């Protein structure tokens, strides 16, 4: 039975009457003043978005709005308050405070409208751009291809148009001839196979080069090539470049290889889930029914579809018997829709046409014959797939931030290298270009975190592997972090939040209400289900005997069978089988002698069965739409089991029971029966539809049964947890508004009042309820196309939002509008209709079991077990991986300062080079490249990064990780600043005088604007505007790495450097003198084995071998100092909520594995004589010198503890305030 037949009346989309009240708008406090808790940009909207016509505009031109009616009937006018974007001018009287429930209405100025519209201007530009030029022509051509209009044709015209042969009534449909095999083969060659064209993918080689072309890798390759060029120019003096160049280029290729391998592995896993057995279908050709691959279908083929089949193409139904299809994957409508032949053609919209069955929809009951109208990409599902392919997915926030960081660091590295080259060639190296270039490369390498690309990829891969163990497949690795950054999650209802499985919830019989399903919102006087209650047995019998369901098999227990039938019948059967152990025997004993199936005209189904009673052997059982069944009843089943006359009082109780069920969004059906007297209707009586000899009046009303598509287990707790984490959860569904709202209230999505619910609760008229009194809104999809920008702001500002009766394009538009306000949007869904929004969203989440292939292809993430609650674990994992990734980067870049500053001293003071280029590279890759040599497992076939990667296994530092705001919260200030920037941009555009469309700026104008921007006031205001956002690499991280811990590590390295030299006989003054001698008029080079003797300030004579060994020890201790200090820093970077010592320090054993691996590498490099040719080093270095950097490491820990004390207050302010009425689990473990 259709939802429109029995469900609550569909009033959400009715147009506003001429006398509709104006849209009331509350008086907010000025944005950014006295309202820190608010999270929107504009005043809250009314809960119904049925906006008034122009004559009663919500924004009155004269600045006044009709206020509450005065006793005399006139409207009392209140002064217009201050607009949201304009605080009171100096000296102007502040607006009066009003009591709760009284609203000051105001106008919306033109400035406000411009500011609101500017935030969405780019969407209009994109839309207009698509309609122009060649692209616009392609779009129009595509619309012609996918437009399905044949549902308006008669069957005879279909036969002529498609040149096929079908049998029309009164001839049986099975007598159709269909196409000939030859004609079918010719059409297959002309039109192609009946398959959807898969989206184009890059080749493996192209993907590898994409991985290789990151800016860091390009810098490393250029530096490596440059080293080899210098090697070719002067092999003798640049022999070390042979190793340095190879390592630089090797690091770049290994980084790219690791990222490429992880991407390939993710795609292989996805391909295994999408692999399907090619479907077959039944087709009539040459008058013979045969089974053929669905891919071989062509236009004009005659197809037979039966219960349990998936429709193989778009079909025109010309013959049907009780045919119903499940369109939920296309429209979101959970109730199966009847399909039948419409002799004169259907005037309905394509998606609602009763004579069309669409490709991929499931046949839930009956059978029918249809003519193939469209195949492959031209089907309805192909249209949506094409829409999905046209919407380019957004880059993840993490990718944008990493690219920004890489650009900044690369610019710093290049500029610094150029400066050091200029200084070095004019001072230390005295025109020796080759050596100066090598020195500049060492500075470049010191700044560039070479292993960052591989570190990020492997950190995300490790997190993705953990999520896979929780049945969450990540297609896009960066989607792991995006899930943790979400600010808004838009979710479908059917199949995502609900089970897509109708379940009996309430039964009203014997004038009593019973609960058949555990519910949290039943009234206190609702009794639990009792099979012995009067009338209950009759309802169970009707559910069993008045049914057309079938089972896949009957030789197994009832609960192990697959029920084949529509959702309502399946729900009733499941209920009956649970409460009747002898289900099969009951159906065998009580044979069916006559039936009238349900149809859209009768809205009821009738069965006559052999069931004995006191007056005869036959019983009529009827179920259907309550209003249709009730009019046929003259008696009702009383609480004592007797049939008593129907009275007005009983009808009043019936109305109350019906409203109780319907108000909860339940599907309600009525049950009635008639015990036929044996003297008039003996057991062998021949009933006939033509003779119309079946009684249609005088029935006994047995009761009402309500069914609902219940929420999935754990959904309520999951949404509660997401909301407590500061994520706005929004339902976007194609289902009925009342049904959507009812489900939303059961799952924590709506807690507060809409205007309608507040009106019902308080008895106040809706027009007297103002927007600030409610927190929830249910928006009808038909209104979306006509919403103005300020109305979008008002809707998205609400805390609890439900969009109902939406189309795929509506869902796409909702995602775009939310993103325009700065939201990081996630979309969950399982149907084809969700695919465009899944593709456009920052993160698309599809369902594996119930999801379509199109939705899986469009999504970034797939829930393998269809468990929405898995998103909670995903958000937690995403937030954790962001924190761990930030720690890893913070740890990695901290060693740049102790590498670069000694280089600066080398050219400025000068002093002997503290670190050679090769040792700098070893430091940069020690924790990120060489220690990959330890294999994780044979399945990984890759390397593990122990130190930097060990952060991937760090547990959350605080158990409040799901109680803090998203890292980029959408607030009043963030929306206002975004709109101001957009408004400034729109004012710089040039517009066509005729069309009014913006004229895209030329390339030259873009470059000029880009170059002029740094010299404008707004550029710097935007750069330094206050923001609550937490980005991957922010000022706090850079300050920690470069100005705080970096300086401490640098001081520790230099102290150890000078101490080692001092013990070898060189004071700092001696070092300066010895190094300066190399750039004097008579240059003398020291610190080589062949160098002349050096006499220090104390009169000691040091030979060339002693000088060389002293330098080797000094460089070794500098290298080891940075490594040892970084070992302490590994724990210091974890300190955000808590101090960097205690239990949390030892919870991640991989940190210690990274330290041990790094120590082994350091010892191997420093104390292995054969490696001294490449790396330098000296086995004479005493381990006692290690204590110096260890002391500075302790200073790093102390400094980190001080930062915790200073920054802790700000972190506490980021915690989400408890939401009143929100039900969340006591612990954060959502049960799967």
């Amino acid at each position: 039975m259709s939802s429109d037949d029995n469900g609550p009346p569909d009033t959400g989309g009715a147009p506003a009457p001429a006398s509709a009240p104006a849209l009331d708008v509350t008086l907010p406090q000025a944005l950014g003043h006295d309202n820190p808790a608010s999270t929107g940009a504009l005043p809250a909207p009314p809960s119904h978005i049925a906006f008034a016509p122009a004559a009663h505009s919500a924004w009155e031109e004269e600045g006044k709005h009709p206020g509450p009616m005065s006793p005399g009937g006139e409207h009392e006018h209140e002064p217009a308050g201050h607009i949201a974007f304009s605080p009171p001018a100096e000296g102007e009287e502040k607006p009066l405070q009003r009591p709760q429930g009284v609203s000051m209405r105001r106008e919306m100025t033109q400035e406000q409208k411009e500011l609101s519209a500017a935030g969405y201007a780019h969407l209009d530009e994109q839309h207009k751009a698509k309609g122009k030029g060649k692209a616009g022509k392609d779009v129009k051509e595509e619309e012609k291809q996918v437009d399905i209009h044949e549902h308006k044709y008669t069957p005879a015209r279909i036969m002529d148009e498609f040149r096929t042969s079908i049998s029309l009534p009164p001839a049986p449909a099975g007598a159709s001839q269909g196409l000939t095999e030859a004609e079918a083969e010719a059409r297959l060659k002309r039109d192609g196979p009946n398959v959807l064209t898969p989206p184009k993918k890059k080749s493996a080689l192209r993907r590898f080069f994409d991985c290789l072309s990151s800016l860091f890798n390009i810098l490393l390759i250029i530096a490596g090539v440059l080293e080899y060029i210098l090697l070719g120019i002067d092999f003798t003096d640049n022999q070390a470049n042979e190793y340095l160049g190879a390592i630089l280029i090797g690091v770049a290729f290994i980084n790219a290889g690791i990222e490429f391998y992880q991407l390939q592995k993710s795609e292989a896993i996805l391909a295994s889930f999408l692999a399907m057995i090619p479907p077959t279908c039944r087709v009539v050709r040459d008058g013979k029914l045969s089974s053929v691959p669905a891919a071989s279908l062509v236009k004009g083929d005659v197809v037979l579809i039966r219960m349990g089949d998936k429709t193989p193409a778009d079909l025109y139904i010309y013959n049907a018997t009780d045919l119903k299809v499940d369109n939920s994957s296309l429209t979101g409508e959970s109730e199966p829709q009847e399909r039948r032949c419409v002799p004169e053609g259907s005037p309905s919209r394509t998606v609602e046409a009763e004579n069309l069955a669409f490709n991929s929809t499931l046949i839930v009951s009956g059978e029918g014959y249809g003519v193939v109208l469209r195949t492959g990409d031209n089907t309805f599902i192909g249209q949506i797939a094409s829409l999905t392919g046209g919407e380019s997915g957004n880059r993840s926030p993490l990718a944008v931030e990493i690219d920004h960081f890489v650009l900044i660091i690369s610019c710093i590295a290049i500029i610094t290298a150029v400066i050091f080259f200029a200084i070095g060639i004019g001072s230390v190296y005295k025109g020796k270009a080759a050596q100066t270039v090598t020195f500049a490369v060492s500075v470049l390498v010191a700044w560039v975190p070479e292993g960052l690309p591989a570190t990020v990829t492997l950190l995300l891969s490790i997190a993705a592997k953990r999520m896979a163990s929780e049945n969450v497949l990540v297609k896009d690795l960066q989607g792991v972090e995006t899930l943790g950054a979400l600010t808004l999650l838009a979710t479908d209802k059917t199949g995502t939040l609900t089970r897509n499985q109708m379940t009996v919830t309430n039964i009203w019989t014997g004038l009593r209400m019973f609960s058949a399903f555990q519910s949290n919102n039943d009234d206190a006087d609702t009794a639990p289900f009792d099979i012995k209650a009067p009338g209950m047995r009759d309802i169970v019998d009707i559910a069993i005997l008045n049914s057309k369901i079938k089972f896949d098999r009957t030789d197994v227990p009832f609960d192990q069978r697959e029920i084949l039938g529509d959702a309502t019948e399946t729900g009733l059967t499941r209920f009956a089988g649970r409460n009747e152990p002898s289900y099969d025997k009951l159906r065998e004993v009580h044979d069916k002698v006559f039936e009238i199936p349900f149809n859209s005209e009768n809205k009821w189904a009738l069965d006559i069965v052999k069931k004995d009673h006191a007056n005869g052997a036959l019983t009529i059982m009827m179920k259907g739409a309550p209003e249709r069944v009730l009019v046929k009843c003259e008696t009702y089943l009383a609480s004592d089991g007797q049939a008593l006359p129907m009275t007005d009082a009983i009808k009043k109780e019936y109305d109350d029971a019906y409203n109780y069920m319907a108000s909860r969004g339940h599907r309600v059906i009525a049950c009635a029966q008639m015990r036929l007297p044996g003297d008039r209707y003996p057991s062998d009586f021949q009933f006939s539809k033509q003779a119309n000899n079946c009684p249609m009046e005088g029935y006994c009303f047995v009761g009402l049964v309500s069914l609902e598509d219940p929420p999935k287990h754990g959904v309520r707790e999951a949404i509660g947890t997401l909301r407590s984490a500061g994520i706005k959860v929004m339902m976007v569904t194609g289902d009925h508004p009342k049904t959507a709202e009812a489900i939303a209230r059961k799952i924590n999505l709506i807690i507060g009042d809409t205007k309608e619910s507040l009106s019902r609760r308080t008895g106040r008229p809706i027009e007297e309820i103002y927007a600030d009194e409610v927190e929830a809104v249910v928006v009808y999809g038909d209104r979306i196309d006509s919403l103005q920008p300020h109305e979008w702001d008002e809707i998205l500002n609400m805390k609890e939002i439900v969009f109902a009766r939406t189309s795929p394009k509506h869902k796409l538009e909702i995602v775009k509008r939310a993103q325009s306000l700065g939201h990081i949007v996630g979309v969950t869904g399982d149907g084809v209709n969700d695919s465009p929004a899944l593709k456009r969203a920052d993160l698309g989440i599809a369902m594996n079991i119930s999801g379509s292939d199109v939705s899986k292809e469009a999504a970034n993430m797939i829930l393998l077990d269809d468990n929405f609650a898995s998103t909670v674990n995903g958000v937690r994992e995403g937030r954790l991986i962001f924190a761990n990734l930030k720690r890893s980067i913070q740890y990695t870049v901290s060693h740049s300062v102790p590498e670069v500053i000694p280089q600066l001293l080398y050219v400025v003071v000068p002093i002997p080079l503290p670190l050679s280029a090769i040792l700098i590279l070893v430091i940069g890759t020690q924790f990120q490249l060489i220690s990959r040599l330890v294999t994780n497992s044979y399945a990984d076939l890759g390397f593990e990064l122990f130190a930097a990667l060990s952060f991937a296994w760090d547990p959350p530092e605080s158990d409040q990780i799901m109680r803090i705001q998203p890292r980029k919260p959408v607030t009043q200030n963030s929306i206002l600043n975004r709109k101001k920037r957009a408004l400034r941009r729109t004012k710089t555009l040039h517009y066509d005088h005729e069309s009014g469309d913006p004229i895209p700026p030329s390339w030259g104008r873009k470059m000029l604007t880009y170059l002029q921007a740094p010299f404008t006031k707004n550029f710097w205001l935007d750069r330094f505007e206050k923001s609550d956002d937490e980005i991957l690499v922010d000022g706090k991280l850079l300050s920690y790495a470069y100005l705080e811990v970096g300086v401490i590590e640098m001081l520790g390295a230099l102290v150890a450097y000078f101490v080692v030299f001092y013990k070898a006989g060189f004071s700092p003054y001696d070092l300066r003198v010895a190094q300066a001698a190399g750039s004097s008029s008579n240059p003398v080079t020291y610190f080589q084995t062949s160098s002349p003797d050096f006499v220090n300030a104390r009169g000691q004579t040091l030979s060339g071998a002693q000088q060389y060994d002293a330098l080797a020890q000094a460089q070794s201790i500098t290298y080891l100092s940075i490594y040892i200090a970084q070992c302490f820093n590994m724990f210091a970077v974890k300190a955000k909520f808590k101090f960097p010592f205690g239990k949390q320090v030892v919870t991640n054993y991989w940190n210690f594995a990274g330290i041990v691996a790094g120590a082994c590498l350091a010892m191997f490099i420093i104390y292995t004589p054969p490696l001294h040719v490449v790396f330098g080093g000296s086995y004479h270095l005493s381990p006692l010198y290690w204590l110096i950097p260890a002391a500075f490491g302790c200073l790093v820990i102390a400094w980190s503890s001080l930062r915790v004390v200073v920054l802790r207050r700000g972190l506490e302010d980021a915690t989400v305030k408890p939401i009143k009425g929100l039900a969340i689990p006591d612990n954060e473990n959502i049960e799967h």
Side-chain angles (χ1 to χ4, degrees), residues 914-1101:
L915 278 176
S916 64
I918 196 73
L919 279 179
I920 289 177
L921 184 62
V922 171
I923 292 174
T925 59
Q926 175 175 355
F927 313 125
Q928 304 161 357
L929 173 65
I930 301 178
S931 54
R932 296 171 190 160
L933 296 174
V934 182
T935 305
N936 183 33
S937 68
Y938 69 91
D940 288 335
L941 300 177
F943 302 117
E944 286 293 335
L945 311 176
F946 273 112
L949 285 182
S950 64
F951 291 103
W953 289 277
D954 273 357
E957 185 183 7
S958 169
D959 56 2
Q960 296 296 309
I961 192 171
M962 293 297 287
R963 295 292 188 273
I964 60 176
Q965 291 279 5
R967 64 184 184 90
K968 290 189 176 182
V970 178
T971 62
Q972 279 185 340
N973 286 335
S974 69
I975 295 177
L976 179 57
N977 291 333
R978 176 180 287 267
K979 286 184 176 293
K980 285 182 177 179
R981 291 195 297 270
L983 183 60
R984 288 198 296 267
R985 173 183 169 274
T986 57
K987 287 183 177 180
T988 62
L989 296 176
H990 295 273
Y991 293 86
D992 187 279
H993 294 292
E994 296 181 0
S995 65
D997 296 338
I999 302 174
S1002 63
W1003 180 87
R1005 184 175 178 81
K1006 286 182 180 179
M1007 287 299 300
L1008 181 62
T1009 303
Y1010 182 79
L1011 294 175
Q1012 290 176 340
F1015 303 98
T1016 61
K1017 176 182 177 182
N1018 289 330
F1019 176 86
W1020 296 106
L1021 288 177
D1022 292 344
R1023 291 296 180 274
F1024 292 102
E1025 71 181 10
K1026 187 177 180 180
S1027 173
D1028 296 326
D1029 294 356
E1030 180 185 5
I1031 60 177
L1032 185 64
V1033 181
D1034 54 12
K1036 293 179 182 178
L1037 185 149
L1038 295 177
S1039 173
Y1040 176 92
Y1042 293 147
L1043 302 180
E1044 300 168 25
V1045 171
V1047 171
I1048 295 174
E1049 292 186 5
M1050 178 266 295
L1051 293 175
L1054 288 179
V1055 168
Y1057 168 86
F1058 286 117
V1059 168
V1060 168
F1061 258 128
Y1062 186 80
K1063 293 295 291 182
F1066 290 90
S1067 67
Y1069 174 77
D1070 294 329
L1071 294 176
R1072 184 180 182 280
V1073 171
Q1075 189 65 21
S1079 57
S1080 62
S1081 56
N1082 295 315
V1084 178
T1085 303
Y1086 291 105
F1087 303 106
Q1088 294 182 3
T1089 54
S1090 59
S1091 298
D1093 293 343
F1094 177 81
V1095 180
N1096 65 17
R1098 289 172 285 180
Q1100 296 175 334
T1101 301

Side-chain angles (χ1 to χ4, degrees), residues 742-1040:
I743 292 295
R745 291 192 178 278
K746 293 180 180 181
I747 59 177
N748 272 330
L749 203 147
I750 289 183
I751 299 172
D753 281 315
T754 62
K755 294 185 75 172
E756 289 84 359
S757 65
L758 184 60
S759 174
R760 289 193 299 268
R761 186 164 57 84
T762 62
R764 296 163 55 195
I766 291 180
E767 57 270 17
E768 293 183 8
I769 299 175
Y770 302 140
D772 66 337
E773 297 181 73
V774 297
E775 297 182 339
V777 60
V778 179
V779 185
Y780 201 91
D782 287 349
R783 287 291 171 185
I784 292 177
D785 292 331
S786 60
L787 289 179
Q788 298 301 310
H790 63 271
E791 294 165 348
W792 274 109
D793 285 343
E794 293 166 352
I795 294 170
L796 294 174
N797 175 60
M798 297 296 277
K799 294 180 179 178
E800 301 166 345
I801 309 169
V802 170
F803 287 94
R805 291 291 193 223
T806 56
S807 68
K809 291 183 179 179
H810 290 155
K811 295 185 179 185
L812 188 59
E813 186 70 14
I814 292 166
V815 172
K816 289 180 180 179
R817 298 285 174 168
Q819 288 174 329
S820 297
L821 295 183
H823 280 289
I824 298 177
V825 181
V827 174
T828 68
D830 62 344
V832 177
N833 59 337
D834 299 314
S835 302
L838 288 170
K839 185 74 172 180
R840 173 71 187 200
D842 297 285
L843 183 72
I845 307 172
M847 303 293 159
N848 178 50
I849 300 173
S850 60
S852 64
D853 287 352
V854 176
S855 67
K856 295 176 191 176
E857 191 69 45
N860 309 97
M861 189 175 292
I862 300 174
L863 302 182
L864 300 180
D865 58 354
D866 285 17
N867 192 348
F868 178 83
S870 298
T871 57
V872 172
N873 296 324
V875 170
R876 184 185 296 107
E877 189 67 47
R879 293 188 173 190
L880 176 60
I881 198 60
F882 175 80
N884 292 343
L885 188 58
K886 193 165 187 175
R887 294 171 184 171
S888 182
I889 292 176
Q890 187 172 344
Y891 166 81
T892 301
V893 300
S894 294
H895 62 67
S896 294
V897 170
E899 293 172 12
V900 173
I901 297 301
Q903 307 297 313
L904 182 62
L905 296 178
Y906 166 65
V907 296
V908 173
V909 175
I911 59 174
L913 187 62
L915 278 176
S916 64
I918 196 73
L919 279 179
I920 289 177
L921 184 62
V922 171
I923 292 174
T925 59
Q926 175 175 355
F927 313 125
Q928 304 161 357
L929 173 65
I930 301 178
S931 54
R932 296 171 190 160
L933 296 174
V934 182
T935 305
N936 183 33
S937 68
Y938 69 91
D940 288 335
L941 300 177
F943 302 117
E944 286 293 335
L945 311 176
F946 273 112
L949 285 182
S950 64
F951 291 103
W953 289 277
D954 273 357
E957 185 183 7
S958 169
D959 56 2
Q960 296 296 309
I961 192 171
M962 293 297 287
R963 295 292 188 273
I964 60 176
Q965 291 279 5
R967 64 184 184 90
K968 290 189 176 182
V970 178
T971 62
Q972 279 185 340
N973 286 335
S974 69
I975 295 177
L976 179 57
N977 291 333
R978 176 180 287 267
K979 286 184 176 293
K980 285 182 177 179
R981 291 195 297 270
L983 183 60
R984 288 198 296 267
R985 173 183 169 274
T986 57
K987 287 183 177 180
T988 62
L989 296 176
H990 295 273
Y991 293 86
D992 187 279
H993 294 292
E994 296 181 0
S995 65
D997 296 338
I999 302 174
S1002 63
W1003 180 87
R1005 184 175 178 81
K1006 286 182 180 179
M1007 287 299 300
L1008 181 62
T1009 303
Y1010 182 79
L1011 294 175
Q1012 290 176 340
F1015 303 98
T1016 61
K1017 176 182 177 182
N1018 289 330
F1019 176 86
W1020 296 106
L1021 288 177
D1022 292 344
R1023 291 296 180 274
F1024 292 102
E1025 71 181 10
K1026 187 177 180 180
S1027 173
D1028 296 326
D1029 294 356
E1030 180 185 5
I1031 60 177
L1032 185 64
V1033 181
D1034 54 12
K1036 293 179 182 178
L1037 185 149
L1038 295 177
S1039 173
Y1040 176 92

Side-chain angles (χ1 to χ4, degrees), residues 1134-1210:
K1134 300 181 183 183
K1136 186 175 182 179
F1137 297 100
K1138 300 178 181 179
F1139 296 112
F1141 41 77
K1143 183 179 179 181
Q1144 68 271 17
V1145 173
V1146 297
T1147 53
N1148 185 0
Y1149 299 109
W1150 291 105
N1151 289 152
F1152 297 97
I1155 291 174
V1156 171
C1160 293
L1161 177 65
M1163 299 304 102
F1164 182 66
I1165 290 174
I1166 299 302
Y1167 293 101
T1168 304
L1171 296 180
H1172 295 168
V1173 178
V1174 179
F1175 298 103
S1178 172
Y1179 59 85
H1180 295 129
L1181 181 68
S1182 172
L1184 290 176
Y1185 292 119
W1186 301 357
L1187 296 177
I1188 298 174
F1192 280 88
C1194 294
L1195 183 58
V1196 169
I1197 295 292
W1199 180 259
S1200 179
S1201 301
L1202 181 61
R1203 291 180 86 251
V1204 171
V1205 176
V1206 174
L1207 301 177
R1208 179 179 286 174
R1209 180 60 184 272

Side-chain angles (χ1 to χ4, degrees), residues 49 173 284 315 359 436 446 549 612 657 681 741 800 818 1063 1169 1207:
I49 308 300
V284 178
L315 304 180
N359 183 19
T436 312
I549 63 93
D612 295 340
Y681 299 97
E741 181 181 350
E800 301 166 345
K1063 293 295 291 182
L1207 301 177

Side-chain angles (χ1 to χ4, degrees), residues 32 64 71 103 140 275 330 364 422 515 554 647 654 671 788 803 845 912 914 938 1003 1017 1172 1207:
K64 294 182 179 181
S103 176
K140 291 181 180 179
L330 291 175
V364 295
S515 176
T554 58
T647 63
Y654 156 86
C671 298
Q788 298 301 310
F803 287 94
I845 307 172
Y938 69 91
W1003 180 87
K1017 176 182 177 182
H1172 295 168
L1207 301 177

Side-chain angles (χ1 to χ4, degrees), residues 561-592:
R561 303 177 188 178
E562 180 182 354
I563 303 175
L564 305 177
D566 67 46
T568 301
E569 292 270 24
T570 300
L572 288 171
T573 300
R574 192 177 293 108
F575 160 75
R578 192 167 57 243
N579 295 286
E580 176 51 68
S582 304
Y583 182 94
D584 294 328
K585 184 177 181 180
L586 198 66
R587 295 191 70 173
E588 293 174 3
V589 171
H590 303 297
D591 290 338
K592 184 182 299 185

